[in-house]
Coordinates of all heavy atoms in Angstrom, one line a residue:
Chain A
W89 N 30.7 -8.9 -6.7 CA 29.8 -8.2 -7.7 C 29.8 -6.7 -7.5 O 29.2 -6.0 -8.3 CB 28.4 -8.8 -7.5 CG 28.2 -10.1 -8.2 CD1 28.3 -11.3 -7.7 CD2 27.9 -10.3 -9.6 NE1 28.1 -12.3 -8.6 CE2 27.8 -11.7 -9.8 CE3 27.7 -9.4 -10.7 CZ2 27.6 -12.2 -11.1 CZ3 27.4 -10.0 -11.9 CH2 27.4 -11.4 -12.1
C90 N 30.5 -6.2 -6.5 CA 30.6 -4.8 -6.3 C 32.0 -4.3 -6.4 O 32.3 -3.1 -6.1 CB 30.1 -4.4 -4.9 SG 28.4 -5.0 -4.5
M151 N 12.4 2.7 -9.4 CA 11.8 3.1 -10.6 C 12.0 4.6 -10.8 O 12.3 5.0 -12.0 CB 10.3 2.8 -10.6 CG 9.8 2.4 -11.9 SD 8.1 1.8 -11.7 CE 7.2 3.3 -11.8
D207 N 7.0 -20.1 -12.0 CA 7.1 -20.5 -13.4 C 6.8 -19.3 -14.4 O 7.4 -19.1 -15.4 CB 6.1 -21.6 -13.7 CG 6.6 -22.9 -13.0 OD1 7.8 -22.9 -12.6 OD2 5.8 -23.8 -12.9
T215 N 14.4 -15.5 -22.8 CA 14.5 -15.0 -24.1 C 15.2 -16.0 -25.0 O 15.6 -15.7 -26.1 CB 15.3 -13.6 -24.1 OG1 16.5 -13.8 -23.5 CG2 14.5 -12.5 -23.4
P221 N 17.5 -10.7 -33.3 CA 18.8 -10.4 -32.7 C 18.8 -10.6 -31.2 O 17.8 -10.3 -30.5 CB 19.1 -9.0 -33.0 CG 17.7 -8.4 -33.4 CD 16.9 -9.5 -33.9
A260 N -16.2 -15.7 13.9 CA -14.8 -15.5 14.3 C -14.7 -15.3 15.8 O -13.9 -16.0 16.5 CB -14.2 -14.3 13.6
E287 N -13.5 -3.5 15.2 CA -14.0 -2.9 16.4 C -15.2 -3.7 16.9 O -15.4 -3.9 18.1 CB -14.4 -1.5 16.2 CG -13.2 -0.6 15.8 CD -12.2 -0.3 17.0 OE1 -12.4 -0.9 18.1 OE2 -11.2 0.4 16.8
L318 N -5.5 3.0 12.9 CA -5.4 3.1 14.3 C -4.2 4.0 14.7 O -3.1 3.7 14.2 CB -5.3 1.7 14.9 CG -5.7 1.5 16.3 CD1 -7.2 1.7 16.5 CD2 -5.4 0.0 16.7
K336 N -3.8 -13.0 24.5 CA -4.0 -11.9 23.6 C -4.8 -12.3 22.4 O -4.5 -13.4 21.8 CB -2.7 -11.3 23.2 CG -2.8 -10.0 22.4 CD -1.5 -9.3 22.3 CE -0.5 -10.0 21.4 NZ 0.7 -9.3 21.2
P380 N -13.6 -12.5 -1.7 CA -12.9 -13.7 -1.1 C -11.4 -13.6 -1.5 O -11.1 -13.1 -2.6 CB -13.6 -14.9 -1.9 CG -14.8 -14.4 -2.5 CD -14.6 -12.9 -2.7
R397 N 5.7 -22.2 17.0 CA 5.6 -23.7 17.1 C 4.5 -24.1 16.1 O 3.8 -23.2 15.6 CB 5.3 -24.2 18.5 CG 4.0 -23.5 19.1 CD 3.7 -24.1 20.4 NE 2.9 -23.3 21.3 CZ 1.6 -23.3 21.4 NH1 0.9 -24.1 20.6 NH2 1.0 -22.5 22.3
E407 N -14.4 -26.7 3.5 CA -13.3 -27.1 2.7 C -13.6 -27.0 1.2 O -12.8 -26.6 0.4 CB -12.8 -28.4 3.1 CG -11.5 -28.8 2.4 CD -10.8 -30.0 3.0 OE1 -11.3 -30.6 3.9 OE2 -9.6 -30.3 2.6
A427 N -3.4 5.5 -14.7 CA -2.9 6.8 -15.2 C -1.5 7.1 -14.8 O -0.6 7.4 -15.6 CB -3.8 7.9 -14.9
G469 N 0.2 14.4 -25.9 CA -0.3 15.2 -27.0 C -1.2 14.3 -27.9 O -1.5 13.2 -27.6
W520 N -8.3 12.2 9.9 CA -9.2 12.2 11.0 C -9.2 10.9 11.7 O -9.2 9.8 11.1 CB -10.7 12.4 10.5 CG -10.8 13.8 9.9 CD1 -10.8 14.1 8.5 CD2 -10.9 15.0 10.6 NE1 -10.9 15.4 8.4 CE2 -11.0 16.0 9.6 CE3 -11.0 15.3 11.9 CZ2 -11.1 17.4 10.0 CZ3 -11.1 16.6 12.3 CH2 -11.2 17.6 11.3
K562 N -0.8 17.0 21.1 CA -1.9 17.1 22.0 C -3.1 17.8 21.4 O -4.2 17.4 21.6 CB -1.4 17.9 23.3 CG -2.0 17.3 24.6 CD -1.3 18.0 25.7 CE -2.0 17.7 27.0 NZ -1.4 18.4 28.2
W563 N -2.8 18.9 20.7 CA -3.8 19.7 20.1 C -4.5 18.8 19.1 O -5.7 18.7 19.0 CB -3.2 20.9 19.4 CG -4.3 21.8 18.7 CD1 -4.9 22.9 19.3 CD2 -4.8 21.6 17.4 NE1 -5.8 23.4 18.4 CE2 -5.8 22.6 17.2 CE3 -4.6 20.7 16.4 CZ2 -6.5 22.7 16.1 CZ3 -5.3 20.8 15.2 CH2 -6.2 21.8 15.0
V659 N -18.3 16.5 4.7 CA -19.0 17.7 5.3 C -20.2 18.1 4.5 O -21.0 18.9 5.0 CB -18.0 18.9 5.5 CG1 -16.9 18.5 6.5 CG2 -17.4 19.4 4.2
Q666 N -25.1 21.7 -6.6 CA -25.4 21.3 -8.0 C -24.2 20.6 -8.6 O -24.4 19.6 -9.3 CB -25.7 22.5 -8.8 CG -27.1 23.1 -8.5 CD -28.2 22.2 -8.9 OE1 -28.3 21.7 -10.0 NE2 -29.0 21.9 -7.9
E682 N -20.1 5.9 -3.6 CA -20.1 7.0 -2.6 C -18.9 7.8 -2.8 O -17.7 7.3 -2.7 CB -20.2 6.4 -1.2 CG -21.6 5.7 -1.0 CD -21.8 5.2 0.4 OE1 -20.9 4.9 1.1 OE2 -23.0 5.2 0.8

Side-chain angles (χ1 to χ4, degrees):
Chain A
W89 281 94
C90 304
M151 217 170 84
D207 292 344
T215 55
E287 297 287 3
L318 204 63
K336 188 167 71 175
R397 54 177 157 91
E407 186 166 8
W520 296 101
K562 215 173 171 181
W563 182 93
V659 297
Q666 289 294 304
E682 300 186 324

